[in-house]
Amino acid sequence: MKRDFLTLWDISPEELEQLMERALSMKAGRERTTAPLTGKSIGLLFEKPSTRTRVSFEVGIYQLGGQAVCMSPADLQLGRGETIPDTARTLSRYLSAVVIRTSAHDRLEAFAQEASIPVINGLSDTHHPCQALADLMTIREKKGQLKGLKVAFVGDGNNVCNSLIEAASRMQFSLAIACPEGFDPAPDILARARASSRSEIAVMRDPMAAAAAADVIYTDVWVSMGQEQSAAEKKASFKNYQINHNLLTNAKNDVIVLHCLPAHRGEEITDDVLDGPHSAVFDQAENRLHAQKALLEMLVT
Ligand code: CP
Ligand code: NVA
């Protein structure tokens, strides 16, 4: 029976714990070298640009002994109108799993419905669960545990924020989200996360209140891929939602700063914070590789 990874609801808290352990062991080089993907090909179908997700998957698949097959709509018949179900059924005959980055989450669900191989969400308009795996791993690596921590997310209630909400619900840390009115996370995602957990998930307008006594402060771009047309309007709404030195003074002394990247320096985060002593941003980027290797091992072998 194949297993997909479209959102964090596809994986139990216990499995998430195991996955973190495994990823941290892989990073530390404690695990014996294994090549569980030997003889297997994994598809990477990206309908949007990517630096971290595509390259870390490609490298991770190589390190696990497999072959990555990179595809974009422009070089598939999908780009000429072949249906998602027909594409999914065909690719399932060649590949052992597929990672898909697409604009609409329902395209991903339609693909997963017809595919007989695991489908992994490499970012959709509403979710970025592979990012959340690396986020959890990084917090665990830096803080030793997740339960009981306070994480502040300052910025847009977007795909990265939605997956962080699901992560908070799964792993029992409290999450304070500061976003301007009109840019709240999806209500259905919030409702499900709150119903499934006792951890506090709060949405507020004041970034200083969100950052108060925080162990982790997280942000993402104000303008996500595909939202370029509303960029000027969005940037005006978010001008007070920046991670800067002043915001950090409200957090705990040992606060860590996360950003999924790419960053728009000087907008959602200042240079001095991104490059400063509290930043764990490039460890977080590295952890994409380790967390996704552990995920592939769990889903494909
Ligand atoms: N964080 C992230 O997913 O980066 P890419 O868009 O470069 O893959
Ligand atoms: N929210 C961003 C994340 C990029 C990794 C976007 O969707 O463009």
Side-chain angles (χ1 to χ4, degrees):
M1 178 72 177
K2 68 122 172 184
R3 281 187 71 184
D4 299 317
F5 183 60
L6 304 188
T7 75
L8 284 200
W9 298 116
D10 292 327
I11 192 163
S12 71
E14 295 72 28
E15 287 172 321
L16 270 172
E17 277 293 347
Q18 286 164 15
L19 203 143
M20 298 298 103
E21 282 295 327
R22 181 76 177 137
L24 286 164
S25 291
M26 283 174 160
K27 182 173 185 177
R30 283 196 297 270
E31 300 296 330
R32 265 189 317 116
T33 307
T34 58
L37 298 186
T38 300
K40 297 184 194 294
S41 298
I42 311 294
L44 303 177
L45 172 49
F46 279 60
E47 299 184 341
K48 287 176 163 185
S50 169
T51 298
R52 281 142 288 271
T53 309
R54 197 185 66 80
V55 178
S56 58
F57 264 113
E58 196 168 338
V59 170
I61 290 162
Y62 174 77
Q63 290 179 358
L64 294 174
Q67 175 205 28
V69 179
C70 296
M71 300 165 279
S72 74
D75 48 54
L76 292 180
Q77 298 288 8
L78 192 59
R80 292 183 57 249
E82 187 169 15
T83 66
I84 289 176
D86 287 352
T87 307
R89 289 167 68 181
T90 303
L91 292 181
S92 295
R93 302 292 179 106
Y94 312 134
L95 302 170
S96 297
V98 62
V99 181
I100 301 179
R101 170 168 289 198
T102 185
S103 44
H105 194 77
D106 57 7
R107 284 173 69 76
L108 202 58
E109 289 175 335
F111 198 106
Q113 172 105 22
E114 288 300 324
S116 57
I117 54 173
V119 176
I120 296 171
N121 181 357
L123 179 145
S124 65
D125 55 340
T126 53
H127 293 85
H128 199 0
C130 290
Q131 181 65 53
L133 293 183
D135 302 341
L136 292 173
M137 178 182 169
T138 308
I139 298 170
R140 173 84 184 268
E141 182 180 40
K142 303 287 177 191
K143 298 287 176 191
Q145 42 122 37
L146 293 153
K147 199 170 175 183
L149 294 181
K150 177 180 177 182
V151 178
F153 182 91
V154 176
D156 193 12
N158 62 15
N159 44 10
V160 169
C161 180
N162 287 338
S163 286
L164 195 64
I165 288 168
E166 293 173 350
S169 177
R170 278 294 200 222
M171 302 311 283
Q172 307 286 316
F173 57 84
S174 92
L175 180 60
I177 300 158
C179 54
E181 199 165 349
F183 299 98
D184 285 3
D188 55 330
I189 288 174
L190 264 177
R192 184 174 178 189
R194 284 172 171 155
S196 309
S197 166
R198 285 192 302 277
S199 52
E200 191 188 3
I201 302 171
V203 178
M204 57 197 74
R205 301 285 164 241
D206 181 5
M208 285 301 251
D215 299 284
V216 179
I217 302 185
Y218 196 145
T219 193
D220 182 17
V221 289
W222 294 339
V223 181
S224 286
M225 290 181 277
Q227 298 178 339
E228 289 77 10
Q229 280 184 326
S230 57
E233 190 191 326
K234 279 197 91 176
K235 284 181 188 180
S237 304
F238 281 90
K239 66 179 184 337
N240 296 324
Y241 290 79
Q242 183 187 62
I243 300 193
N244 52 33
H245 175 74
N246 190 38
L247 192 75
L248 253 54
T249 58
N250 232 27
K252 289 206 177 120
N253 288 338
D254 62 350
V255 65
I256 61 164
V257 172
L258 299 181
H259 190 312
C260 59
L261 299 176
H264 283 201
R265 288 168 175 264
E267 290 186 6
E268 76 277 1
I269 190 165
T270 55
D271 282 331
D272 63 318
V273 171
L274 186 48
D275 300 324
H278 295 280
S279 174
V281 167
F282 292 98
D283 292 324
Q284 181 188 9
E286 178 187 336
N287 288 342
R288 297 294 305 273
L289 171 68
H290 309 296
Q292 288 160 194
K293 281 171 70 180
L295 178 72
L296 286 168
E297 199 181 57
M298 180 178 276
L299 294 184
V300 182
T301 54

